[in-house]
């Protein structure tokens, strides 16, 4: 084939879109501005770099919508899931990876593909010719963001995202901390002890909250408003919502027993998760922060076991941009006013690595069908992929549109299933069973058309 697909952005969505299209015989050019043009959050020029957590979240494909999304991506030959499996590290029931080898493997696979080439020049305007996928993510460069705003006659929405600190393991006092996954989750001993736990008494927790609230924090520029995505709130914002908020969130003590003092239950627990395969680095789970660097070191060292903590990376905050997809995109993720442009990934208003990669997978397959003159059946909204793309292309209320993780609330109801908490396990299994059948049928239709 002589068709060419251009993709702007080499993150999760752009990488997955390129892989899907190239494997279908399409020539692909990935336009990635890094490392020539840097961003606040990225450290390398690797494709598929993880800039926040190193977790793809739950891998349970029978009881969790994210795990179902993992399953669907694997069934579709997804690059991101394949590389995540190869660089998996223990994380209980979650799929966490050694972030640097993961990104290096994604980059190597894309560079080695005969149908893929990579350009490292920044794209600053919206192309008029050819078929393009814009997968620039939440850190879309200023010039391109302005071009999008000009074309859509509407301001791009924005929210603020925060990054959690990473600690050197050998600086943590293991006479205080212990290893245990919540409720001992995991099939192996390594998975059941995947998290490092630092306990707090009531007095220690109260002192920590006081220091957190009083700490010096990042100031926003004039005209900026702090619109946070609820799934990635800075710990200071959670504390401001109520002194017990953190204790019922990332610091909840349930499902954990202090190995050093099993008779006394901790009042709160700070959890850290392995960030690399060597186990030399740990990130603080759910501890995204906008505290200034000096304040971070002071406040976080109040956590028992972390008094002498050394930081490989401190937390930070940055502005994330996304478009109002329900008003701007058609059902195949094309810009209504400029249909040669598709949008994919986090810029469309999905939240999370997995969701971003999933929308890249769909955009890549949709582009293939368009380039080859095939008719692509709509993605069934009973699948995780279909539920998510339906939400961002019309299912969501455009006036209230905010970043969304995949969840079973986006799925069409199942008849005959009990509602409420008591029927949840059976209901979720019903959702995933139905989704797997419908997803495999959809993939099979494409295979028949291509043949």
């Amino acid at each position: 084939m002589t068709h060419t697909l251009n993709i702007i952005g080499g993150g999760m969505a752009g990488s997955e879109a390129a892989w899907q299209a190239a494997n279908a015989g399409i020539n692909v050019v990935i336009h990635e501005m890094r490392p020539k043009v840097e961003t606040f959050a990225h450290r390398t020029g690797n494709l598929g770099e993880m800039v926040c957590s190193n977790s793809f979240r739950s891998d349970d494909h029978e009881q969790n919508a994210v795990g179902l999304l993992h399953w669907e991506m694997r069934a579709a030959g997804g690059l991101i899931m394949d590389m995540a499996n190869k660089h998996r590290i223990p994380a209980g029931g979650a799929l966490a990876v050694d972030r640097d080898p993961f990104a290096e493997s994604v980059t190597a696979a894309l560079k080695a593909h005969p149908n893929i080439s990579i350009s490292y020049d920044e794209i600053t305007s919206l192309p008029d010719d050819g078929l393009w996928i814009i997968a620039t993510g939440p850190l879309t460069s200023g010039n391109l963001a302005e071009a999008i705003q000009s074309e859509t006659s509407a301001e791009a929405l924005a929210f603020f995202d925060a990054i959690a600190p990473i600690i050197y393991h050998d600086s943590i006092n293991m006479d205080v901390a212990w290893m245990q996954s919540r409720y001992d989750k995991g099939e192996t001993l390594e998975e059941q002890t995947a998290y490092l736990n630092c306990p707090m008494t009531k007095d220690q927790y109260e002192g920590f909250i006081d220091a957190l609230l009083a700490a010096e924090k990042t100031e926003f520029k004039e005209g900026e408003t702090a619109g946070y995505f609820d799934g990635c709130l800075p710990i200071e914002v959670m504390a401001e919502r109520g002194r017990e908020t953190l204790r019922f969130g990332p610091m909840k003590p349930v499902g954990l027993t202090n190995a050093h003092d099993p008779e006394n239950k901790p009042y709160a627990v700070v959890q850290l998760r392995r960030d690399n395969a060597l186990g030399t680095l740990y990130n603080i789970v759910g501890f995204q922060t906008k505290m200034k660097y000096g304040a971070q070191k002071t406040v976080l060292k109040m956590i028992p076991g972390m008094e002498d903590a050394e930081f490989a990376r401190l937390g930070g905050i940055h502005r994330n941009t996304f478009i109002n997809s329900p008003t701007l995109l058609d059902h195949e993720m094309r810009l209504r006013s400029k249909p040669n442009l598709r949008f994919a990934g986090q810029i469309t208003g999905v939240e999370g690595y997995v969701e971003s990669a999933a929308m890249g997978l769909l955009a890549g397959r949709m582009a293939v069908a368009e380039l080859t003159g095939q008719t692509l059946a709509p993605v069934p909204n009973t699948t995780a992929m279909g539920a998510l793309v339906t939400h961002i292309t019309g299912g969501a209320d455009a006036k209230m549109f905010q970043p969304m993780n995949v969840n079973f609330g986006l799925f069409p109801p199942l008849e005959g299933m009990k509602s409420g908490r008591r029927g949840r396990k059976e209901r979720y299994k019903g959702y995933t069973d139905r989704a797997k059948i419908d997803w495999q049928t959809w993939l099979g239709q494409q295979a028949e058309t291509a043949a």
Side-chain angles (χ1 to χ4, degrees), residues 347-367:
I347 194 171
T348 65
V350 297
E351 175 63 19
Y353 296 137
V354 182
E355 290 86 344
S356 296
M359 294 303 95
L361 187 153
L362 287 185
R365 286 179 171 251
M366 289 172 177

Side-chain angles (χ1 to χ4, degrees), residues 44-259:
T44 74
N46 287 329
L47 306 176
E49 180 180 341
M50 305 178 86
V51 298
C52 190
S53 167
N54 70 321
S55 174
F56 288 101
R57 311 193 326 273
S58 175
D59 203 33
D60 181 352
H61 57 81
E62 293 188 342
Q63 292 290 314
N64 190 285
V66 178
L68 175 61
L69 205 51
H70 292 181
W71 188 95
E72 292 180 6
M73 292 172 70
R74 289 177 178 126
L79 173 68
I80 297 301
M81 282 297 106
D82 185 28
M83 294 302 142
N85 291 338
K86 289 179 179 177
H87 296 286
R88 185 171 193 155
I89 57 178
L95 173 58
V97 304
D98 192 346
R99 70 173 73 218
D100 288 337
F102 165 79
E104 289 162 4
S105 294
V106 170
T107 305
L110 293 170
K111 284 185 173 180
H113 201 294
N115 294 338
I116 297 176
S117 60
I118 303 171
S119 169
Y120 290 99
D121 291 324
E122 180 186 5
I123 303 294
T124 59
S125 60
L126 296 180
D128 294 317
D129 302 313
L131 199 62
W132 294 71
I133 294 176
I134 299 176
T136 47
L139 300 180
T140 300
S141 66
N143 289 331
L144 186 57
E146 288 177 10
I148 294 170
Q149 179 180 335
S150 177
E151 173 62 31
T152 58
S153 301
E155 286 191 19
L157 303 177
F159 67 101
F160 288 91
D161 204 0
I163 295 173
I166 294 177
I167 314 293
Y168 288 104
H169 177 268
D170 60 10
S171 69
I172 298 169
N173 184 356
M174 296 306 296
D175 289 334
V176 174
W178 78 97
M179 305 300 299
Q180 182 190 7
S181 296
R182 202 179 301 278
Y183 297 110
D184 298 315
K185 276 191 175 182
E187 296 181 0
T188 66
L189 179 62
E190 194 174 31
E191 290 174 338
Q192 292 164 3
T193 56
Y195 290 80
L196 190 153
N197 301 280
C198 297
M200 280 188 179
T201 64
K202 188 174 190 291
D203 287 345
Q204 288 169 333
Y205 176 80
E206 294 293 345
F208 178 78
I209 296 298
D210 288 338
L212 190 59
L213 293 172
E216 191 175 9
K217 301 166 185 75
T218 300
E219 299 289 336
F220 294 104
K221 296 178 182 177
E222 186 176 353
E224 289 185 338
T225 56
Y228 297 105
F229 170 59
D230 277 351
C232 200
L233 287 174
I235 53 174
E236 308 83 18
V237 174
M238 285 190 269
E240 288 166 0
R241 293 183 174 185
R243 295 184 68 88
E244 292 286 281
T245 303
L246 281 167
R247 207 169 71 84
F248 285 88
M251 296 177 68
K252 60 180 178 288
V254 298
L256 298 166
T257 301
N258 188 342

